[in-house]
């Protein structure tokens, strides 16, 4: 306790920021359950150690193990160079980019092996705002620890003797459920503004509080995100949205003032009252799927996040006299163009989003062969799930979704019956609105609720 208090008082002491010797914590104290470890991660550390290198499980996996959570993936840190690592494993690939790492493959599982990084040098090339552009030197383990973002992400676990090496009091912070930046927060955000998003993601995902010194600069430094290459922001946003806590993350981004003028996507999402229910439903559905271990598609999620922006533009194009289907495509173009520029939406994701949107008017045509054709669409399931979201949010009549659910589940005669049953269903609920669907809707003022069946 006293130790902790002294540390807090000396919080700004530079020397305390980069200790060279770690605290060594044994299994009785850390209580990590070895069952939660990936046998492949253990194999990698063991192989490296047998070849005479240091090797540890590191980062998010150690944090999760300490919290009793099964890590979703495992990173290993070592003093072996990427070449040395590669030689020790049959299926290992050096991945380039800013810093070389090695992917060691075991079936579906990839263990990411990183060589200890050196201290971020004063001389590292930076942009005019202080963002570090290249920083690829190898270094000592204590330097590698100091380079990591938060104290809870900077611990090393050695499966061989079950010890945790802790250079920055991460274990205390994990116990107190505090997110604390290593070093001086302002400097660390400046070096890499993506950390602004990471702090929010971890706080929301882990339910941790943010240490005041780590929190304080966030609001002021938020605009620095604008200088980060769009692809990196996109990667980090994807992690945030796929964290299983997307809704909490977006709320926290808003709370920290990080959404405004920062990411166009978030401006759109968080400031459109109409779409709020839709987005909330989409995000909580995604969170639920992630937590159940089910796959989620980024394109579905982005299609949902931007749907109300598409609707708005769709309506505008229709009001200016465009036919519904071309109007929808124009709206999709507009939205995708803006977002691709700023968010680096990958082309594949953008084209899947367009498919999901373009399918929506087709759900309204429930006669003849059209529904059968739609069922065969490659992305029918995504389109259908999207339709269900529109129904649940009250954007369109729930009856359409119910009809499609029944149609999907029915056998041949059942489907025929549904196709002919339609007039009766219309009479039963909301008939007046649906009867309009039969004709002349291109003249109707678009509301976004029933668009484009022609
Ligand atoms: P998750 O469980 O969500 O993957 P994680 O902590 O493993 O969380 P990663 O993005 O996979 O997060 O990064 C792995 C580790 O690399 C982190 O724990 C941290 O130590 C380090 N790291 C990642 N990004 C940064 C960054 N921008 N600045 C400093 N350290 C980073
Ligand atoms: Mg990770």
């Amino acid at each position: 306790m006293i130790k902790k208090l002294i540390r807090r008082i000396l919080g700004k002491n530079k020397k305390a920021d980069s200790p060279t010797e770690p605290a060594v914590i044994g299994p009785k104290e850390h209580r990590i359950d070895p069952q939660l470890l990936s046998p492949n991660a253990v194999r990698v550390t063991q192989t490296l150690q047998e070849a005479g290198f240091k090797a540890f499980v590191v980062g998010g996996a150690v944090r999760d193990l300490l919290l009793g959570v099964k890590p979703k993936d495992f990173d290993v840190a070592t003093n072996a160079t990427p070449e040395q690592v590669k030689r020790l494993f049959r299926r290992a690939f050096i991945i380039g980019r800013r810093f070389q790492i090695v992917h060691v493959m075991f079936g579906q599982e990839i263990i990411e092996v990183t060589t200890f990084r050196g201290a971020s040098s004063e001389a590292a090339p930076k942009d005019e705002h202080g963002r570090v552009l290249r920083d690829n030197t190898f270094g000592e383990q204590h330097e590698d620890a100091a380079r990591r973002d938060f104290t809870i992400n900077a611990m090393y676990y050695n499966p061989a003797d079950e010890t945790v090496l802790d250079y920055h009091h991460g274990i205390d912070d994990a116990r107190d459920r505090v997110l604390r930046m290593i070093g001086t927060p302002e400097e660390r955000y400046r070096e890499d503004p993506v950390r602004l998003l990471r702090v929010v993601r971890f706080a929301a995902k882990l339910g941790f509080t943010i240490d005041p010194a780590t929190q304080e600069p966030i609001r002021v430094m938020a605009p620095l995100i604008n200088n980060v290459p769009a692809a990196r922001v996109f990667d980090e946003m994807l992690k945030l949205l796929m964290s299983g806590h997307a809704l909490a993350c977006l709320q926290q981004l808003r709370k920290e003032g990080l959404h405004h003028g920062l990411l166009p996507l978030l401006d759109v999402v968080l400031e459109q009252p109409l779409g709020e229910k839709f987005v909330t439903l989409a995000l909580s559905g995604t969170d639920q799927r992630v937590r159940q271990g089910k796959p989620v598609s980024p394109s579905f999620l982005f299609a949902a996040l931007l749907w109300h922006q598409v609707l708005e533009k769709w309506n505008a194009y229709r009001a200016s006299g465009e036919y519904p289907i071309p109007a929808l495509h124009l709206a999709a173009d507009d939205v995708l163009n803006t977002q691709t520029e700023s968010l680096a939406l990958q082309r594949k994701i953008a084209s899947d989003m367009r498919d999901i949107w373009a399918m929506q008017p087709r759900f309204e045509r429930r006669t003849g062969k059209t529904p059968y054709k739609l069922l065969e669409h490659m992305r029918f399931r995504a389109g259908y799930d999207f339709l269900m979201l529109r129904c649940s949010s009250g954007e369109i009549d729930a009856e359409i979704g119910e009809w499609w659910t029944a149609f999907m589940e029915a056998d041949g005669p059942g489907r025929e019956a549904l196709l002919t049953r339609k007039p009766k269903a219309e009479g039963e609920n909301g008939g007046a609105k649906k009867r309009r669907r039969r004709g002349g809707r291109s003249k109707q003022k678009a509301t976004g609720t029933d668009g484009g069946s022609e």
Side-chain angles (χ1 to χ4, degrees), residues 58-61 63-64 72-75 112 198 201-202 205 239:
V58 70
R63 173 197 74 218
D64 290 347
K72 68 173 165 45
D73 46 39
F74 285 83
D75 297 328
E112 203 168 284
R198 291 176 63 84
R201 171 160 67 94
F202 291 123
K205 175 175 155 178
K239 283 189 189 177

Side-chain angles (χ1 to χ4, degrees), residues 417-434:
L418 276 163
L419 286 168
T420 48
R421 194 200 75 179
K422 219 183 120 209
K424 192 173 156 227
E426 280 182 358
E428 279 164 4
N429 83 44
K433 184 175 174 192
K434 264 166 263 118

Side-chain angles (χ1 to χ4, degrees), residues 82-303:
E83 283 297 335
Q84 288 169 324
V85 175
K86 185 176 154 61
R87 262 180 255 135
L88 289 171
F89 299 94
R90 207 159 47 85
R91 297 194 62 222
F93 306 91
I94 296 184
I95 311 292
R97 289 226 301 206
R98 294 210 317 166
F99 186 77
Q100 283 198 328
I101 56 176
V102 184
H103 279 177
V104 184
M105 326 272 290
F106 298 90
Q108 292 287 304
E109 188 177 7
I110 299 175
I111 306 294
E112 203 168 284
V113 184
T114 315
T115 306
F116 294 144
R117 285 205 197 181
S120 161
S121 75
E122 299 279 304
K126 303 193 180 80
D127 73 4
E128 73 268 32
H129 305 282
R131 185 171 67 86
V132 172
L133 296 172
R134 278 183 311 283
D135 204 1
N136 299 344
T137 51
F138 298 141
E140 299 294 324
Q141 187 171 358
H142 69 90
E143 294 174 310
D144 184 81
R147 291 276 311 253
R148 294 180 179 272
D149 44 11
F150 306 104
T151 59
I152 54 163
N153 282 349
M155 289 178 276
Y156 301 78
Y157 179 71
N158 182 357
D161 63 6
E162 295 184 28
T163 54
V164 169
L165 304 190
D166 181 9
Y167 290 87
H168 295 277
H169 309 275
I171 208 147
D172 292 341
D173 285 340
R175 208 165 283 151
D176 299 343
R177 307 185 73 79
V178 173
L179 210 52
R180 189 190 313 275
M181 185 73 86
I182 295 170
T184 311
E186 285 87 343
E187 276 170 29
R188 305 299 313 280
Y189 291 130
R190 198 173 291 286
E191 278 170 11
D192 182 6
V194 158
R195 291 171 186 150
L196 293 160
L197 297 178
R198 291 176 63 84
V199 74
V200 166
R201 171 160 67 94
F202 291 123
K205 175 175 155 178
L206 305 170
F208 276 31
T209 52
I210 305 174
D211 169 64
T214 302
Q215 173 146 34
E216 200 214 49
I218 296 179
R219 198 169 280 273
V220 199
M221 304 197 89
L224 289 179
I225 287 273
N226 293 322
N227 311 316
V228 178
R232 261 203 93 209
V233 175
F234 181 78
D235 283 351
E236 202 54 45
M237 280 303 295
L238 208 53
K239 283 189 189 177
L240 193 144
L241 293 169
M242 300 286 172
S243 67
H245 301 264
L247 196 55
C249 282
L250 288 199
Q251 281 158 354
Q252 183 107 18
L253 280 177
R254 183 182 233 168
K255 200 174 125 211
E256 301 297 339
L258 267 170
H259 69 293
H260 196 73
L262 178 67
L263 299 174
L265 175 84
L266 290 182
D267 270 354
V268 173
V269 171
L270 298 174
E271 271 154 30
Q272 51 179 1
L274 258 181
E276 194 165 340
K277 179 145 187 230
F278 184 84
V279 164
T280 306
L281 280 171
L283 291 177
S284 52
T286 306
D287 285 348
Q288 216 173 337
R289 284 184 70 89
V290 172
R291 291 185 207 184
Q292 290 166 351
K294 293 186 186 163
V296 263
S297 103
S299 25
F300 182 86
L301 193 55
F302 283 111

